[in-house]
Amino acid sequence: MTETISLSQWMPSKWATVETAGDNVKKRVSTWPQKVSDVAKGEFNVNGDNNTIQETTSTADDKAYHQNAVVVAYLLVQHIMGAAQSTGYGNGSTKINVDPNSIKVILRVEEEGASQSCSVDSVSVVLESSTGTQRSIFYSLGEVLLILFSRHETITPQCRTTLLSRQESLNERHEGANCAADTFDSFQDTMQRALLFLDLEEGGGDTMMDDLYNLPEKRERTMTPSTFSTICANYPTLPMSVCRLIADVMEGTNGGVALTKTSFTSLEEVLEDLKRMMFEPNVFLHNPSDPKIDFGSRLYGREEEISTILSVVDGISSGQGSGALEIISVHGYSGSGKSFLVNQIGRYISTKGWIFLEGKFDRMKQSNAPISVMMSAFENYFVTLESIKCWGGSDDLSYCYKVATKITEALGPDGIDSLSRFIPSLNRLVGIEVTDNDRDGNHQSNIVRTGEESTMYEQRIEYLLCALVDAILSVGRPILLLYDANTKCEGLVESEFLQKLLKHIADRASSREHLLFIECCGKKESEGLDTSTIASHDSVNVSRIDIGEFSKPALNDAISYALRLPPRVTAPLSEIIHIKTMGNILFVIQFMKSLEKSKMLTYNLSERQWVWDTDIVPLQRISDSVAGLLMSKLLNLNKSVLDCLIMASCFGSQINMPIMELLDGLRGVTNIGKNLVIGVEEGILEKAGPLYMFSHNSLQRTVYEITPQNIRNQLHLDIGSTLISKSASAPQEVIEELFSVALSHINKSLPNGENGQSNEINLSPSQRGVFAKLNLKAGQKAISNSADFALAKFHLNAGMAFLPEQCWHDQYDLAFNLHIEYANVLLVQREYEELDTHCKVLLLKARCVEDQIKIHELLIAYLFRSGKFPEALEHVRSVLDTLGFPLPTTVDKDTVRAVLEALRNAASGFTPEQMRTFPLMTEEVPKQAMKIMGSVPILLTFSSPTFAAMIACQMTQLSIQHGLCAESAVAFGNLGFAINSVLQDFNCGYAMGNLGLAIFQRFKSNTLILKTYVPIFGFLKSWKEPLQSCSEGLCYAVHEGSLAGDRGSVFLAKAVLNRHLLVNGCKLSELRMKQESLCREMMYNKREKKFGAFFYQSLGDLYTILSLIGEPDDRVASIFISREECEKALLEIYSSTKNTSVLQLFYYHRFIQSFAVRDFETALNYCEEYDKLGSGIISRITDVATVFFSGVIGFVLARKTKQDGMLDIGEHRRMQLQMW
């Protein structure tokens, strides 16, 4: 219900001091939704953050009243504007009277039980022509506002007389023919600014205004007080902003020409000022206690970008979005506020139940591989959960428990143990503590030795992190993950991990629906993540936001806020600054600080506001770039401070004080702590605990580049050497970081050949050897501790550069280890061209066969991984020839059969018990041969069965003659598969599989689990044991193989497992989802037709499942390729390889499809073609499915069509199944 009262009744009422009285009006007139405004203004509280400007002491009632008075004033002006337009009072020359007694305040009163609330709804007023003393609508309004804000029913006669006198004086001057554009106020203000500017060094600031008032031609005019000073003198409790507003209203005119510098020229301007006061009272209404220039925790002119991102946030929060993975790419130049924009939104939504994580590069650090950046982000996630557990409510505690449970289920103890080395806080959440001894032991066991192990190790960490993300997202609490690549150093090797992670998330509905991924990057199209691999994904939405320079209105908004003055007052200054800075906010801030320092922008204590002269400000010299402005600022610093900042800039954007203090005295730099504090006071640095950070990357870069390159190199070397020499006096908690930082500085001293100069640093051979060895250890540690192969590459590259000239003669082991580790990293990062060149050169340096074999292992792995199977197999053959274990030059079916029969006879007498005590292989050459043959991928077993069979025979022969090793398990497993498919001896194949399992249990090498388990549980045991138990073995192998990082074998294992599940009673709907997920994992880039090995076979299996369900192909075809394209690809593979298993799989798919559509005759034809190729070639599972469905067809056709022989087919198949 509404209630109408007069203004005089409202002012003393209790409703005038209710804080929420104006909320309804604010909602009506707000341009943007409240949440957008909250983000833009930073008005939300996170962990006690306070983003509001401090104010002078004032009673709560006074503050609340003034805020409500602003709302009433806004409604009053709004009503007057409407009335003036309809009655013809809009002309500024019309003299009218606004009677305070005619003003009515309409309140909205709501009752809830015994309580009652009241808010302002609207204001009405009656406008009348003045019958007495004529006054303009502005002056009349000003008097009403003075009554309203002062809470006095009338204005004192003395005050009114003075105000009217001032009004008449202004009107006379305005109407006079020789009216000057500047009033005495502007003259006085201009002269004060000019004197300050011209007399900065004389120290006469205190007497300047006295001298100015003594000018004879101005003495008489000073006797008339200004409107502003009159109001301030008579109403000292009013905020200065209100006094200024009322004075400007009283002196206003609708003629378009201001009577004074700040007087209003329209009622619209009055309305805009009141709106600012209403929405941001702490800035534009109340008196601030600190007059410093402060841009605050705000976003200026970014409401549209905020609204865009928040709309995506709302879709995810409500579950009403597209259900796709949302990726937003924010582009903009350095200093445009990209990171601040996303951080502000992240902080805001963290108060709404979201979790905000950030992964950020540091341009001066080498540990910037995306996987390391993400590890850091999730370390912060678990630290956040610790805080939630301590301070959160019951829902928060439940969330933490669910996350811990999901992670434990997904990773298991071993996975958690592995990830906890990179994410230490993970252990504390799940409640598993790892002792230092365990951690040291794991560290030693994870030092990588071969290229294949390196690749598997990286894939293992990637798998664990993907599984961790899945577990976290599956709980349902939304996460905003910011990947801030702003400061990414050019030339850094970009990992594919982030693309893999995002694609992995997109493939899973339970994960993608709860993540918003935002990246911040440079302006260029080429900068940022390459999302082309996932942009075509059917469950990914990729959008781009460009952050440009500030527009003039946005810049004026920012300056208005910083100076706490209305935008109409700051507009002339903003215009000049925009021309000078082109709207670059970093430049704007620095330029305004330079204006303040040169006294062109000063704070007037009597008026409590910032003042300037728009004629003098343009005289301020300015550089052509932000760097130039920053440089001029830096060069004005004391030399000791600048030298300290230069040294700090060598550390990157962040400096750890306990480490920096160790450099005190180096190169004459002393009082480091004191000088860093001065850097903070100058706005160059920021401080958080013991950490100092440059306030922006541009500042750090500018300071760093003050020193010439060659001198910087020597400075880095001195810093690194000094830190190592003083490490004994460093605090224990920074020792590890200290050595890492020291080595980083030493490496930066290496010459980079810029501008054709070598910038060589003179080092002794012993120094070079020490630095090379340190880098070798750091590279190995980067791989073992964090799977950071980019960092490892940097250290290994540096180590090789430090090697002395005679290193291959004097320090062979160090030189070889550096080069072989570097080759391992090249293999992991798929830099195959450089790897090929590097290995060929390294082969010429290798002294012994053992070292040569290590190089050959890398070359073979690279050839297999790059799809060069013929070259890889030829290389395997060549190496085995060198080792003295040659393979036959030609391998045909008859040769394979003869060799298999011989080995079957030789191995058939062994038992699993004998394998557990069989002698071990001790000779080095057979071990090397087994490693080479063991590196052959499992896929070769199916793509080139004859060659794979010969490899299995050779490995088995070596195991029998020279003893067992870990690869012997793979040998017997593959031998059993070959005996099954070639000799059709399923009993012997089964026995060989059991021997392989016994050997595997003896060595327990999880890197070989898939190569061992897939042939045994997928193809051998299924002939003798229940299929369900075989599926369990495959499930275990898939999990352990994924943890081991054998990604190449995991896909094949999952494909075999899913075929098992088809006949094991798995629901077809569940199986369909599993198979689609597998195909998604195998699809790297649909647009470029990049698919993983065994993709077409797996996609064919998916289409087979669709046929059995009765689901159309359309959706799957839109995600991958059509059924017809898939079949064509399979036939092309068969045509090029002559691998009968591929052709048999083609017939199997066609058979199931025909059966599903009840085309039984065609199905039997495909079944006949399938049988012609033999049993056990693909797997027992397809044989079982083919026999079962063809038997069903036989019985159905025998009953329906009475065809001859159909009943015999059904009976034969039934007896076959019964026998199996």
Side-chain angles (χ1 to χ4, degrees), residues 329-544:
S329 183
V330 183
H331 291 252
Y333 61 86
S334 179
S336 60
K338 305 181 297 294
S339 303
F340 185 55
L341 167 69
V342 182
N343 270 277
Q344 193 87 317
I345 292 174
R347 293 175 63 245
Y348 170 75
I349 64 177
S350 67
T351 66
K352 308 297 180 183
W354 281 63
I355 291 178
F356 173 49
L357 304 178
E358 179 182 13
K360 187 170 184 176
F361 281 97
D362 183 340
R363 67 182 296 271
M364 295 298 291
K365 293 183 178 180
Q366 287 72 44
S367 183
N368 272 332
I371 191 169
S372 297
V373 174
M374 289 298 101
M375 291 285 194
S376 175
F378 281 98
E379 169 66 12
N380 292 335
Y381 168 79
F382 288 111
V383 171
T384 301
L385 289 198
E386 288 184 34
S387 176
I388 288 176
K389 287 175 69 176
C390 294
W391 307 105
S394 57
D395 290 343
D396 291 324
L397 293 176
S398 174
Y399 171 74
C400 293
Y401 172 77
K402 289 177 181 178
V403 169
T405 302
K406 288 284 187 181
I407 291 174
T408 304
E409 292 173 353
L411 303 183
D414 291 341
I416 292 171
D417 178 49
S418 296
L419 270 189
S420 64
R421 291 201 303 278
F422 319 131
I423 309 176
S425 298
L426 172 60
N427 271 332
R428 294 195 287 273
L429 176 71
V430 299
I432 298 177
E433 292 295 335
V434 180
T435 64
D436 291 337
N437 291 335
D438 290 339
R439 187 173 284 110
D440 292 341
N442 288 332
H443 169 72
Q444 294 298 327
S445 65
N446 279 290
I447 291 180
V448 182
R449 297 301 179 193
T450 70
E452 185 177 12
E453 288 173 350
S454 297
T455 304
M456 290 178 66
Y457 182 66
E458 183 198 42
Q459 291 176 351
R460 177 176 188 241
I461 299 304
E462 288 179 358
Y463 168 80
L464 288 172
L465 192 52
C466 288
L468 176 71
V469 173
D470 278 342
I472 292 171
L473 292 175
S474 66
V475 178
R477 192 164 186 170
I479 291 177
L480 189 161
L481 178 56
L482 167 61
Y483 179 72
D484 191 350
N486 271 322
T487 55
K488 185 170 61 176
C489 186
E490 290 185 10
L492 184 69
V493 176
E494 179 64 53
S495 169
E496 296 177 357
F497 170 70
L498 276 176
Q499 285 90 334
K500 291 178 185 176
L501 176 63
L502 293 174
K503 181 180 177 298
H504 176 87
I505 295 171
D507 287 340
R508 290 156 178 78
S510 60
S511 297
R512 64 176 179 256
E513 294 174 353
H514 304 119
L515 178 70
L516 170 57
F517 181 88
I518 301 181
E519 64 156 343
C520 290
C521 46
K523 193 73 175 175
K524 298 177 182 177
E525 289 288 338
S526 58
E527 296 184 274
L529 288 174
D530 177 14
T531 56
S532 61
T533 56
I534 55 173
S536 60
H537 197 293
D538 64 305
S539 296
V540 173
N541 288 334
V542 180
S543 53
R544 173 173 174 141

Side-chain angles (χ1 to χ4, degrees), residues 76-101:
L76 174 62
V77 173
Q78 200 175 46
H79 183 87
I80 291 174
M81 286 173 61
Q85 186 176 6
S86 62
T87 59
Y89 296 138
N91 187 345
S93 63
T94 304
K95 307 302 180 181
I96 65 168
N97 183 39
V98 182
D99 184 1
N101 295 322

Side-chain angles (χ1 to χ4, degrees), residues 569-741:
V569 176
T570 59
L573 177 64
S574 300
E575 180 80 19
I576 298 169
I577 294 177
H578 192 274
I579 293 172
K580 292 276 189 180
T581 65
M582 299 303 292
N584 185 312
I585 188 60
L586 179 63
F587 209 177
V588 169
I589 294 171
Q590 296 301 325
F591 182 62
M592 289 189 67
K593 287 181 179 178
S594 71
L595 289 177
E596 183 184 7
K597 190 169 185 179
S598 62
K599 303 295 179 65
M600 292 186 181
L601 180 63
T602 59
Y603 190 77
N604 188 310
L605 290 175
S606 62
E607 297 183 14
R608 291 197 183 182
Q609 73 171 48
W610 289 92
V611 292
W612 62 92
D613 191 295
T614 52
D615 293 327
I616 296 178
V617 169
L619 301 178
Q620 173 75 337
R621 293 181 179 180
I622 191 167
S623 301
D624 295 332
S625 65
V626 177
L629 180 64
L630 297 177
M631 183 66 73
S632 65
K633 177 185 180 75
L634 293 168
L635 294 179
N636 286 325
L637 292 173
N638 183 285
K639 185 178 184 301
S640 63
V641 177
L642 181 58
D643 288 343
C644 181
L645 291 175
I646 290 173
M647 188 173 291
S649 72
C650 295
F651 285 78
S653 60
Q654 181 172 290
I655 308 103
N656 195 332
M657 187 58 183
I659 294 178
M660 182 78 177
E661 282 180 325
L662 296 174
L663 302 176
D664 203 85
L666 177 63
R667 293 197 169 198
V669 177
T670 57
N671 298 320
I672 288 178
K674 179 181 177 182
N675 288 328
L676 290 180
V677 170
I678 294 174
V680 174
E681 294 171 352
E682 289 290 333
I684 298 171
L685 298 176
E686 296 173 353
K687 188 176 186 297
L691 299 179
Y692 285 83
M693 295 139 295
F694 281 87
S695 55
H696 196 272
N697 300 320
S698 298
L699 277 166
Q700 185 270 332
R701 187 161 51 247
T702 302
V703 177
Y704 184 67
E705 292 173 355
I706 289 177
T707 309
Q709 175 70 49
N710 59 335
I711 299 177
R712 279 207 307 264
N713 290 349
Q714 186 63 52
L715 177 58
H716 278 299
L717 182 62
D718 293 346
I719 291 174
S721 302
T722 303
L723 288 177
I724 291 176
S725 66
K726 292 188 176 181
S727 58
S729 58
Q732 188 63 36
E733 61 270 15
V734 300
I735 287 293
E736 185 173 350
E737 181 184 353
L738 182 146
F739 279 103
S740 175
V741 168

Side-chain angles (χ1 to χ4, degrees), residues 30-55:
S30 177
T31 307
W32 293 94
Q34 185 63 41
K35 59 188 177 184
V36 175
S37 299
D38 287 347
V39 173
K41 293 187 289 186
E43 291 187 350
F44 45 87
N45 190 40
V46 183
N47 297 330
D49 285 353
N50 186 9
N51 297 302
T52 60
I53 296 172
Q54 295 296 319
E55 306 148 20

Side-chain angles (χ1 to χ4, degrees), residues 1038-1050:
V1038 166
H1039 177 71
E1040 294 298 320
S1042 298
L1043 288 177
D1046 191 0
R1047 187 177 181 183
S1049 302
V1050 164

